[in-house]
Amino acid sequence: GGREVSGGFIPGCSMAQAVDKKKKESILDLQKYLDKAVRVKFQGGREVSGVLKGFDQLLNLVLDGTTESQKDSDDPSKLSDETRSLGLVVCRGPAVVVICPADSMEAIANPFLQQESL
């Protein structure tokens, strides 16, 4: 079985499943940060800076001109002033913890809170 959904056929899916697959999109819209410098923190404490060249809905990122900030040898929970150049990298989305513009931070509305009607 399968359903046809606006020009596409998704085998083995009910209509509801097919519509859900078409609706899946990332909560974050990183489009405005393309070709801009960003900082990315990962699980495990690694932190890199680079120019965002691409991304997908799983938050896999492509960064160019990437530099990794090294951890302080005396205190591994802190970053030292040392960096190493990584160049063009692909970052796995599931490991990403924080993404922010390199030059500033921007407050956004919490996408998980329900809007209260007055």
PDB file of all heavy atoms in Angstrom, residues 57-80:
ATOM      1  N   GLN A  57      17.533  19.591   8.159  1.00  0.00           N
ATOM      2  CA  GLN A  57      16.560  19.603   9.258  1.00  0.00           C
ATOM      3  C   GLN A  57      17.049  18.849  10.492  1.00  0.00           C
ATOM      4  O   GLN A  57      16.523  19.030  11.565  1.00  0.00           O
ATOM      5  CB  GLN A  57      15.196  19.080   8.798  1.00  0.00           C
ATOM      6  CG  GLN A  57      15.121  17.600   8.543  1.00  0.00           C
ATOM      7  CD  GLN A  57      15.483  17.214   7.117  1.00  0.00           C
ATOM      8  OE1 GLN A  57      16.064  17.998   6.382  1.00  0.00           O
ATOM      9  NE2 GLN A  57      15.159  16.007   6.732  1.00  0.00           N
ATOM     10  N   LEU A  58      18.082  18.009  10.348  1.00  0.00           N
ATOM     11  CA  LEU A  58      18.645  17.308  11.504  1.00  0.00           C
ATOM     12  C   LEU A  58      19.726  18.128  12.200  1.00  0.00           C
ATOM     13  O   LEU A  58      20.357  17.675  13.125  1.00  0.00           O
ATOM     14  CB  LEU A  58      19.232  15.962  11.064  1.00  0.00           C
ATOM     15  CG  LEU A  58      18.241  14.991  10.452  1.00  0.00           C
ATOM     16  CD1 LEU A  58      18.955  13.751   9.953  1.00  0.00           C
ATOM     17  CD2 LEU A  58      17.155  14.619  11.446  1.00  0.00           C
ATOM     18  N   LEU A  59      19.950  19.356  11.720  1.00  0.00           N
ATOM     19  CA  LEU A  59      20.971  20.253  12.237  1.00  0.00           C
ATOM     20  C   LEU A  59      22.386  19.805  11.918  1.00  0.00           C
ATOM     21  O   LEU A  59      23.335  20.208  12.577  1.00  0.00           O
ATOM     22  CB  LEU A  59      20.820  20.468  13.755  1.00  0.00           C
ATOM     23  CG  LEU A  59      20.448  21.878  14.187  1.00  0.00           C
ATOM     24  CD1 LEU A  59      19.364  22.481  13.360  1.00  0.00           C
ATOM     25  CD2 LEU A  59      20.138  21.946  15.638  1.00  0.00           C
ATOM     26  N   ASN A  60      22.553  18.916  10.910  1.00  0.00           N
ATOM     27  CA  ASN A  60      23.891  18.664  10.399  1.00  0.00           C
ATOM     28  C   ASN A  60      24.341  19.979   9.779  1.00  0.00           C
ATOM     29  O   ASN A  60      23.566  20.635   9.087  1.00  0.00           O
ATOM     30  CB  ASN A  60      23.876  17.553   9.343  1.00  0.00           C
ATOM     31  CG  ASN A  60      23.503  16.217   9.928  1.00  0.00           C
ATOM     32  OD1 ASN A  60      24.029  15.812  10.961  1.00  0.00           O
ATOM     33  ND2 ASN A  60      22.588  15.528   9.285  1.00  0.00           N
ATOM     34  N   LEU A  61      25.576  20.385  10.054  1.00  0.00           N
ATOM     35  CA  LEU A  61      26.062  21.688   9.616  1.00  0.00           C
ATOM     36  C   LEU A  61      27.303  21.539   8.747  1.00  0.00           C
ATOM     37  O   LEU A  61      28.114  20.645   8.985  1.00  0.00           O
ATOM     38  CB  LEU A  61      26.443  22.552  10.827  1.00  0.00           C
ATOM     39  CG  LEU A  61      25.409  22.734  11.926  1.00  0.00           C
ATOM     40  CD1 LEU A  61      26.025  23.483  13.099  1.00  0.00           C
ATOM     41  CD2 LEU A  61      24.197  23.451  11.403  1.00  0.00           C
ATOM     42  N   VAL A  62      27.451  22.406   7.763  1.00  0.00           N
ATOM     43  CA  VAL A  62      28.688  22.505   6.992  1.00  0.00           C
ATOM     44  C   VAL A  62      29.281  23.867   7.326  1.00  0.00           C
ATOM     45  O   VAL A  62      28.638  24.896   7.134  1.00  0.00           O
ATOM     46  CB  VAL A  62      28.429  22.390   5.476  1.00  0.00           C
ATOM     47  CG1 VAL A  62      29.731  22.570   4.699  1.00  0.00           C
ATOM     48  CG2 VAL A  62      27.780  21.065   5.136  1.00  0.00           C
ATOM     49  N   LEU A  63      30.504  23.851   7.877  1.00  0.00           N
ATOM     50  CA  LEU A  63      31.201  25.086   8.253  1.00  0.00           C
ATOM     51  C   LEU A  63      32.497  25.186   7.475  1.00  0.00           C
ATOM     52  O   LEU A  63      33.192  24.189   7.286  1.00  0.00           O
ATOM     53  CB  LEU A  63      31.522  25.091   9.755  1.00  0.00           C
ATOM     54  CG  LEU A  63      30.364  25.004  10.739  1.00  0.00           C
ATOM     55  CD1 LEU A  63      30.901  24.926  12.161  1.00  0.00           C
ATOM     56  CD2 LEU A  63      29.428  26.165  10.593  1.00  0.00           C
ATOM     57  N   ASP A  64      32.832  26.397   7.030  1.00  0.00           N
ATOM     58  CA  ASP A  64      34.083  26.626   6.314  1.00  0.00           C
ATOM     59  C   ASP A  64      34.955  27.568   7.135  1.00  0.00           C
ATOM     60  O   ASP A  64      34.452  28.362   7.929  1.00  0.00           O
ATOM     61  CB  ASP A  64      33.798  27.242   4.936  1.00  0.00           C
ATOM     62  CG  ASP A  64      34.991  27.130   3.995  1.00  0.00           C
ATOM     63  OD1 ASP A  64      35.972  26.429   4.338  1.00  0.00           O
ATOM     64  OD2 ASP A  64      34.941  27.743   2.910  1.00  0.00           O
ATOM     65  N   GLY A  65      36.260  27.474   6.948  1.00  0.00           N
ATOM     66  CA  GLY A  65      37.185  28.320   7.697  1.00  0.00           C
ATOM     67  C   GLY A  65      37.072  28.061   9.184  1.00  0.00           C
ATOM     68  O   GLY A  65      37.171  28.970  10.007  1.00  0.00           O
ATOM     69  N   THR A  66      36.870  26.804   9.548  1.00  0.00           N
ATOM     70  CA  THR A  66      36.568  26.436  10.936  1.00  0.00           C
ATOM     71  C   THR A  66      37.818  26.377  11.800  1.00  0.00           C
ATOM     72  O   THR A  66      38.848  25.860  11.390  1.00  0.00           O
ATOM     73  CB  THR A  66      35.866  25.059  10.965  1.00  0.00           C
ATOM     74  OG1 THR A  66      34.773  25.090  10.069  1.00  0.00           O
ATOM     75  CG2 THR A  66      35.381  24.717  12.356  1.00  0.00           C
ATOM     76  N   THR A  67      37.705  26.941  13.007  1.00  0.00           N
ATOM     77  CA  THR A  67      38.760  26.811  14.014  1.00  0.00           C
ATOM     78  C   THR A  67      38.145  26.239  15.278  1.00  0.00           C
ATOM     79  O   THR A  67      37.034  26.599  15.657  1.00  0.00           O
ATOM     80  CB  THR A  67      39.422  28.164  14.339  1.00  0.00           C
ATOM     81  OG1 THR A  67      38.428  29.073  14.761  1.00  0.00           O
ATOM     82  CG2 THR A  67      40.163  28.734  13.152  1.00  0.00           C
ATOM     83  N   GLU A  68      38.868  25.316  15.902  1.00  0.00           N
ATOM     84  CA  GLU A  68      38.415  24.716  17.159  1.00  0.00           C
ATOM     85  C   GLU A  68      39.149  25.374  18.313  1.00  0.00           C
ATOM     86  O   GLU A  68      40.373  25.537  18.266  1.00  0.00           O
ATOM     87  CB  GLU A  68      38.703  23.211  17.168  1.00  0.00           C
ATOM     88  CG  GLU A  68      38.294  22.549  18.469  1.00  0.00           C
ATOM     89  CD  GLU A  68      38.640  21.063  18.537  1.00  0.00           C
ATOM     90  OE1 GLU A  68      39.352  20.569  17.658  1.00  0.00           O
ATOM     91  OE2 GLU A  68      38.188  20.418  19.487  1.00  0.00           O
ATOM     92  N   SER A  69      38.413  25.755  19.335  1.00  0.00           N
ATOM     93  CA  SER A  69      39.018  26.297  20.553  1.00  0.00           C
ATOM     94  C   SER A  69      39.465  25.121  21.407  1.00  0.00           C
ATOM     95  O   SER A  69      38.682  24.223  21.689  1.00  0.00           O
ATOM     96  CB  SER A  69      38.012  27.155  21.315  1.00  0.00           C
ATOM     97  OG  SER A  69      37.595  28.237  20.517  1.00  0.00           O
ATOM     98  N   GLN A  70      40.741  25.135  21.804  1.00  0.00           N
ATOM     99  CA  GLN A  70      41.300  24.039  22.599  1.00  0.00           C
ATOM    100  C   GLN A  70      40.911  24.192  24.068  1.00  0.00           C
ATOM    101  O   GLN A  70      40.741  25.315  24.556  1.00  0.00           O
ATOM    102  CB  GLN A  70      42.828  24.021  22.486  1.00  0.00           C
ATOM    103  CG  GLN A  70      43.329  23.902  21.062  1.00  0.00           C
ATOM    104  CD  GLN A  70      43.142  22.515  20.499  1.00  0.00           C
ATOM    105  OE1 GLN A  70      42.066  22.181  20.015  1.00  0.00           O
ATOM    106  NE2 GLN A  70      44.164  21.716  20.572  1.00  0.00           N
ATOM    107  N   LYS A  71      40.795  23.060  24.757  1.00  0.00           N
ATOM    108  CA  LYS A  71      40.493  23.099  26.194  1.00  0.00           C
ATOM    109  C   LYS A  71      41.748  23.442  26.982  1.00  0.00           C
ATOM    110  O   LYS A  71      42.861  23.134  26.589  1.00  0.00           O
ATOM    111  CB  LYS A  71      39.953  21.738  26.644  1.00  0.00           C
ATOM    112  CG  LYS A  71      38.586  21.439  26.083  1.00  0.00           C
ATOM    113  CD  LYS A  71      38.042  20.169  26.674  1.00  0.00           C
ATOM    114  CE  LYS A  71      36.661  19.892  26.132  1.00  0.00           C
ATOM    115  NZ  LYS A  71      36.086  18.706  26.719  1.00  0.00           N
ATOM    116  N   ASP A  72      41.544  24.094  28.113  1.00  0.00           N
ATOM    117  CA  ASP A  72      42.634  24.449  29.020  1.00  0.00           C
ATOM    118  C   ASP A  72      43.183  23.164  29.638  1.00  0.00           C
ATOM    119  O   ASP A  72      42.427  22.348  30.160  1.00  0.00           O
ATOM    120  CB  ASP A  72      42.090  25.379  30.111  1.00  0.00           C
ATOM    121  CG  ASP A  72      43.188  25.992  30.947  1.00  0.00           C
ATOM    122  OD1 ASP A  72      44.196  25.310  31.209  1.00  0.00           O
ATOM    123  OD2 ASP A  72      43.032  27.168  31.340  1.00  0.00           O
ATOM    124  N   SER A  73      44.501  22.969  29.581  1.00  0.00           N
ATOM    125  CA  SER A  73      45.094  21.731  30.115  1.00  0.00           C
ATOM    126  C   SER A  73      44.985  21.647  31.634  1.00  0.00           C
ATOM    127  O   SER A  73      44.928  20.556  32.198  1.00  0.00           O
ATOM    128  CB  SER A  73      46.554  21.605  29.683  1.00  0.00           C
ATOM    129  OG  SER A  73      47.273  22.753  30.082  1.00  0.00           O
ATOM    130  N   ASP A  74      44.928  22.790  32.327  1.00  0.00           N
ATOM    131  CA  ASP A  74      44.791  22.800  33.786  1.00  0.00           C
ATOM    132  C   ASP A  74      43.351  22.552  34.217  1.00  0.00           C
ATOM    133  O   ASP A  74      43.105  21.921  35.232  1.00  0.00           O
ATOM    134  CB  ASP A  74      45.268  24.133  34.370  1.00  0.00           C
ATOM    135  CG  ASP A  74      46.741  24.375  34.091  1.00  0.00           C
ATOM    136  OD1 ASP A  74      47.489  23.382  33.991  1.00  0.00           O
ATOM    137  OD2 ASP A  74      47.118  25.550  33.963  1.00  0.00           O
ATOM    138  N   ASP A  75      42.383  23.080  33.448  1.00  0.00           N
ATOM    139  CA  ASP A  75      40.962  22.941  33.780  1.00  0.00           C
ATOM    140  C   ASP A  75      40.184  22.597  32.502  1.00  0.00           C
ATOM    141  O   ASP A  75      39.832  23.479  31.736  1.00  0.00           O
ATOM    142  CB  ASP A  75      40.436  24.245  34.394  1.00  0.00           C
ATOM    143  CG  ASP A  75      38.992  24.115  34.876  1.00  0.00           C
ATOM    144  OD1 ASP A  75      38.372  23.056  34.650  1.00  0.00           O
ATOM    145  OD2 ASP A  75      38.490  25.089  35.472  1.00  0.00           O
ATOM    146  N   PRO A  76      39.930  21.282  32.274  1.00  0.00           N
ATOM    147  CA  PRO A  76      39.279  20.848  31.031  1.00  0.00           C
ATOM    148  C   PRO A  76      37.878  21.425  30.808  1.00  0.00           C
ATOM    149  O   PRO A  76      37.360  21.361  29.706  1.00  0.00           O
ATOM    150  CB  PRO A  76      39.207  19.328  31.169  1.00  0.00           C
ATOM    151  CG  PRO A  76      40.163  18.972  32.240  1.00  0.00           C
ATOM    152  CD  PRO A  76      40.304  20.171  33.127  1.00  0.00           C
ATOM    153  N   SER A  77      37.272  22.011  31.846  1.00  0.00           N
ATOM    154  CA  SER A  77      35.938  22.589  31.678  1.00  0.00           C
ATOM    155  C   SER A  77      36.008  23.986  31.059  1.00  0.00           C
ATOM    156  O   SER A  77      34.990  24.552  30.695  1.00  0.00           O
ATOM    157  CB  SER A  77      35.195  22.636  33.006  1.00  0.00           C
ATOM    158  OG  SER A  77      35.819  23.558  33.879  1.00  0.00           O
ATOM    159  N   LYS A  78      37.222  24.549  30.934  1.00  0.00           N
ATOM    160  CA  LYS A  78      37.400  25.888  30.369  1.00  0.00           C
ATOM    161  C   LYS A  78      38.153  25.804  29.049  1.00  0.00           C
ATOM    162  O   LYS A  78      38.919  24.875  28.814  1.00  0.00           O
ATOM    163  CB  LYS A  78      38.176  26.776  31.342  1.00  0.00           C
ATOM    164  CG  LYS A  78      37.432  27.074  32.623  1.00  0.00           C
ATOM    165  CD  LYS A  78      38.218  27.993  33.500  1.00  0.00           C
ATOM    166  CE  LYS A  78      37.458  28.249  34.795  1.00  0.00           C
ATOM    167  NZ  LYS A  78      38.240  29.026  35.745  1.00  0.00           N
ATOM    168  N   LEU A  79      37.939  26.821  28.206  1.00  0.00           N
ATOM    169  CA  LEU A  79      38.664  26.911  26.944  1.00  0.00           C
ATOM    170  C   LEU A  79      39.893  27.780  27.112  1.00  0.00           C
ATOM    171  O   LEU A  79      39.870  28.771  27.834  1.00  0.00           O
ATOM    172  CB  LEU A  79      37.770  27.504  25.851  1.00  0.00           C
ATOM    173  CG  LEU A  79      36.542  26.689  25.466  1.00  0.00           C
ATOM    174  CD1 LEU A  79      35.689  27.448  24.468  1.00  0.00           C
ATOM    175  CD2 LEU A  79      36.943  25.342  24.900  1.00  0.00           C
ATOM    176  N   SER A  80      40.985  27.393  26.450  1.00  0.00           N
ATOM    177  CA  SER A  80      42.196  28.222  26.480  1.00  0.00           C
ATOM    178  C   SER A  80      42.162  29.178  25.298  1.00  0.00           C
ATOM    179  O   SER A  80      41.222  29.175  24.506  1.00  0.00           O
ATOM    180  CB  SER A  80      43.437  27.319  26.402  1.00  0.00           C
ATOM    181  OG  SER A  80      43.542  26.771  25.102  1.00  0.00           O
TER     182      SER A  80
END
